[in-house]
Amino acid sequence: MLGLMQNMPLTISSLIRHADRNHGDTEIVSRETGGGLHRYTYHDAHRRSRQLARALIALGVRPSDRVASLAWNNHRHFELYYGVSGMGAILNTINPRLFPEQIGYIINHAEDGLVFFDLTFLPLVEGLAAHCKGVRSWVALTDRARMPESKLPLLCYEDLVNAHSDDYEWPLFDENTASSLCYTSGTTGNPKGALYSHRSTVLHAYGSCLPDALNLSARDTVLPVVPLFHVNAWGLPYACALTGARLVMPGPQLDGASLHELFEQEEVTVSAGVPTIWLGLLQYLKEKQLRLSTVKRLVIGGSAAPPALIRAFDEDFGITVLHAWGMTEMSPLGTVNTPKGKHLKLPAAELDRMRLNQGRPIYGVEMKIVDDSGKELPRDGKAFGDLLVRGPWIASGYYKGEGGDILREGGWFATGDVATLDADGYMQITDRSKDVIKSGGEWISSIELENLAVAHPAVAEAAVIGVAHPKWDERPLLIVVKKKDAEVSREQLLDFMRDKVAKWWLPDDVVFVDSLPHTATGKLLKTRLREDFREHQLPG
Ligand code: ADP
């Protein structure tokens, strides 16, 4: 017997309609690509998204067609989120920091018919056009007055939107319809597309707002530093509409000074981004002796948040850090670190230690760890193995079947992370499976060593990689960027780490460099480091 409840499809358009009806005067603020702040409301955004939907139809976009964006976090990009997906097409958000060849590959692989781009990316787009013959139109996200000279026949976004009325009803369709397409960074091989659906997106938005997840509400002002081109800004454009949170978007200016100004001026309460962003901001705040007077929570994810960073925001600034873990294939949220009631009575040092792991799964995400033979390992906080996940906002395959059947028996997806799980559900990443250092048949966690090194006051950033060793297969090499004007020697650093890890975990050598290579999404590019230091001679 089936239940007798209405079978209303969970569509992305229902989010912006809800925000318009119930939070119509709530502001959306964005820093424009050319500078200056733009202000309007959910009501305006909803109206313009419907005008955009009509413009897309007039341009010949049909349901399930792919439409690309190359854009910063701003109000026009937000409108694409709702206009494109809302009318039944698929928004392919592309990371402009990828290599141009990768971007060309993605546009061709996705068969994007239209590409909407911010003016910053005009040179990029002009270089791509000859290689992307399937693109019918390149649309500049600007108004007539700022339209650039170009050898390409560009369309103007404002002209398109303004040519149409908002007399448009969002269509209803199967909630499993594809809504957006995000390619993984592909540090090895070609990028692969995670194809989200309306249902997966709305369920993920519901889950992400929960009090033990990002805890969003209509009392928050949310500033996603995480780009709208990086896994849908971790779902925040949807979650903000769902809750009616005020939204502030930083445009292209992500340096400490610009962020601090926007945080203060717009009274931001919640923000989210990768560790590199927060390390930069923290350094700026300390240098200039500034405060963040309204921020209550910072979501840090995308790579392991160093304990020193979590502590600094908490102890020096009174801001709760929500350490979160996820991936493109998971929409992306999987876990968030928040304590349970029983933990609040723990001694401070223990509670402090607890806060460092990646947290508990949000309802909707199931997790287990397995050994090499696929046997499930105990949830004891000690055993570590391959982390598998399943749930309604986790990929069942890649776009166009790339990579073949990606699920294991029982529908489990292998994350490529190595982790521990404990009886309370807390997960701790010990490494990426390809980054773990295999020394004499035992595993050494590169992340744990990096966290330790970054805790030294003279260290700005650290990476640990395995270097070939005749006896032990691999031994850890620590590569360090010192803080500006700070001094520390190899011996001092190793001494600092010595009593904090097992003796055989201690790096065999330390190298100081001016900067470390990062991927397009801000992660340490360890493939490059391993190449650069392949010939490194360890002492002894
Ligand atoms: P990309 O950023 O390269 O597009 P993803 O965002 O999908 O790719 O990267 C997901 C991976 O990032 C995870 O599998 C994990 O290895 C790493 N990661 C994300 N968040 C964390 C975290 N809080 N701690 C440690 N690793 C993390």
Side-chain angles (χ1 to χ4, degrees):
M1 191 187 294
L2 294 179
L4 288 172
M5 291 295 125
Q6 296 182 10
N7 194 11
M8 277 301 280
L10 303 171
T11 56
I12 285 174
S13 58
S14 69
L15 296 171
I16 190 78
R17 194 175 52 216
H18 170 82
D20 179 3
R21 287 208 184 126
N22 304 291
H23 307 278
D25 64 352
T26 297
E27 257 189 328
I28 299 175
V29 182
S30 71
R31 177 113 62 191
E32 293 306 281
T33 303
L37 288 186
H38 176 274
R39 287 175 194 280
Y40 71 166
T41 63
Y42 277 115
H43 176 72
D44 302 324
H46 186 210
R47 174 175 48 76
R48 283 176 42 100
S49 303
R50 283 173 299 159
Q51 289 174 265
L52 171 62
R54 288 192 56 167
L56 292 169
I57 293 166
L59 284 171
V61 176
R62 289 156 312 171
S64 294
D65 280 357
R66 273 77 60 211
V67 170
S69 65
L70 275 166
W72 300 112
N73 292 9
N74 56 42
H75 72 286
R76 295 189 181 103
H77 204 177
F78 182 82
E79 290 162 8
L80 285 165
Y81 264 55
Y82 286 99
V84 174
S85 303
M87 60 82 67
I90 301 170
L91 181 66
N92 175 25
T93 51
I94 305 179
N95 185 341
R97 296 185 186 129
L98 293 171
F99 294 117
E101 303 78 55
Q102 286 177 311
I103 297 176
Y105 171 86
I106 291 172
I107 291 175
N108 292 329
H109 188 265
E111 299 173 70
D112 294 319
L114 300 179
V115 178
F116 289 77
F117 66 95
D118 263 327
L119 290 186
T120 319
F121 308 117
L122 178 63
L124 174 67
V125 158
E126 287 181 329
L128 285 171
H131 307 284
C132 302
K133 297 288 188 208
V135 176
R136 297 196 306 278
S137 300
W138 303 86
V139 186
L141 289 165
T142 191
D143 54 20
R144 179 52 49 196
R146 290 182 186 78
M147 277 302 281
E149 290 279 333
S150 174
K151 55 184 184 197
L152 293 178
L154 302 178
L155 296 182
C156 168
Y157 181 83
E158 288 300 322
D159 285 357
L160 290 179
V161 168
N162 292 328
H164 295 273
S165 82
D166 63 351
D167 183 15
Y168 177 75
E169 281 291 329
W170 297 113
L172 281 181
F173 38 70
D174 185 336
E175 64 184 16
N176 291 297
T177 302
S179 57
S180 56
L181 176 62
C182 227
Y183 281 74
T184 59
S185 307
T187 36
T188 51
N190 278 325
K192 294 195 280 294
L195 185 62
Y196 310 111
S197 70
H198 286 259
R199 172 186 156 83
S200 72
T201 304
V202 173
L203 289 177
H204 177 267
Y206 260 121
S208 67
C209 299
L210 288 170
D212 274 1
L214 309 188
N215 189 11
L216 300 180
S217 78
R219 292 167 296 287
D220 280 312
T221 292
V222 180
L223 188 152
V225 180
V226 53
L228 269 73
F229 56 73
H230 187 203
V231 218
N232 301 324
W234 299 348
L236 288 170
Y238 307 117
C240 286
L242 184 148
T243 51
R246 189 166 163 267
L247 183 60
V248 179
M249 290 179 281
Q253 283 157 257
L254 305 180
D255 58 289
S258 308
L259 285 178
H260 175 260
E261 183 190 274
L262 208 52
F263 277 130
E264 286 300 293
Q265 185 181 314
E266 298 303 324
E267 302 184 352
V268 171
T269 61
V270 180
S271 188
V274 295
T276 332
I277 289 284
W278 304 124
L279 286 168
L281 180 65
L282 191 63
Q283 215 165 332
Y284 175 78
L285 295 175
K286 289 199 163 159
E287 244 170 61
K288 305 274 181 217
Q289 302 202 325
L290 295 168
R291 308 294 301 169
L292 291 173
S293 48
T294 55
V295 178
K296 296 196 187 94
R297 297 183 297 289
L298 286 183
V299 185
I300 307 189
S303 358
L309 182 68
I310 299 181
R311 287 200 192 100
F313 274 115
D314 185 4
E315 286 160 19
D316 304 343
F317 292 88
I319 295 170
T320 303
V321 166
L322 296 171
H323 190 193
W325 166 87
M327 60 196 306
T328 306
E329 292 87 338
M330 297 178 68
S331 300
L333 275 181
T335 61
V336 182
N337 187 319
T338 52
K340 297 184 183 181
K342 67 177 181 183
H343 297 135
L344 298 176
K345 299 190 196 87
L346 287 175
E350 232 170 292
L351 190 59
D352 189 53
R353 214 173 18 253
M354 273 209 56
R355 282 185 331 184
L356 304 181
N357 65 48
Q358 277 74 8
R360 296 177 271 130
I362 304 171
Y363 167 78
V365 177
E366 263 186 276
M367 307 199 302
K368 68 173 178 179
I369 47 171
V370 298
D371 67 13
D372 283 342
S373 67
K375 193 171 93 0
E376 185 166 357
L377 294 167
R379 294 165 192 257
D380 60 5
K382 292 194 194 83
F384 53 92
D386 290 318
L387 178 64
L388 310 187
V389 292
R390 63 180 182 189
W393 60 75
I394 294 167
S396 62
Y398 291 108
Y399 184 51
K400 291 187 171 172
E402 295 296 333
D405 184 5
I406 61 169
L407 298 187
R408 298 196 186 176
E409 200 187 324
W412 292 95
F413 173 78
T415 59
D417 287 322
V418 177
T420 63
L421 288 175
D422 74 13
D424 282 320
Y426 288 85
M427 185 270 284
Q428 178 142 25
I429 304 262
T430 55
D431 235 317
R432 251 342 247 172
S433 42
K434 50 188 191 303
D435 294 340
V436 73
I437 296 155
K438 295 186 173 150
S439 173
E442 298 285 344
W443 289 10
I444 298 176
S445 160
S446 65
I447 295 183
E448 201 167 324
L449 292 176
E450 285 157 10
N451 284 343
L452 250 187
V454 175
H456 190 285
V459 173
E461 205 184 3
V464 174
I465 55 166
V467 173
H469 189 282
K471 180 162 173 209
W472 303 109
D473 286 339
E474 277 184 349
R475 286 296 302 157
L477 168 68
L478 170 62
I479 307 165
V480 169
V481 180
K482 283 185 237 177
K483 280 194 189 142
K484 218 172 99 197
D485 304 324
E487 258 324 312
V488 62
S489 70
R490 171 185 185 279
E491 279 66 34
Q492 284 168 330
L493 205 47
L494 290 176
D495 276 346
F496 172 78
M497 298 171 75
R498 201 175 304 277
D499 58 347
K500 300 182 183 82
V501 282
K503 203 165 147 227
W504 61 278
W505 276 42
L506 203 66
D508 279 23
D509 202 3
V510 183
V511 177
F512 295 97
V513 294
D514 292 336
S515 66
L516 288 168
H518 292 98
T519 68
T521 52
K523 294 188 213 305
L524 282 171
L525 189 52
K526 292 205 178 167
T527 43
R528 166 94 68 75
L529 286 173
R530 278 193 286 267
E531 234 158 70
D532 291 353
F533 289 92
R534 205 198 337 248
E535 308 293 331
H536 183 82
Q537 291 295 320
L538 296 170

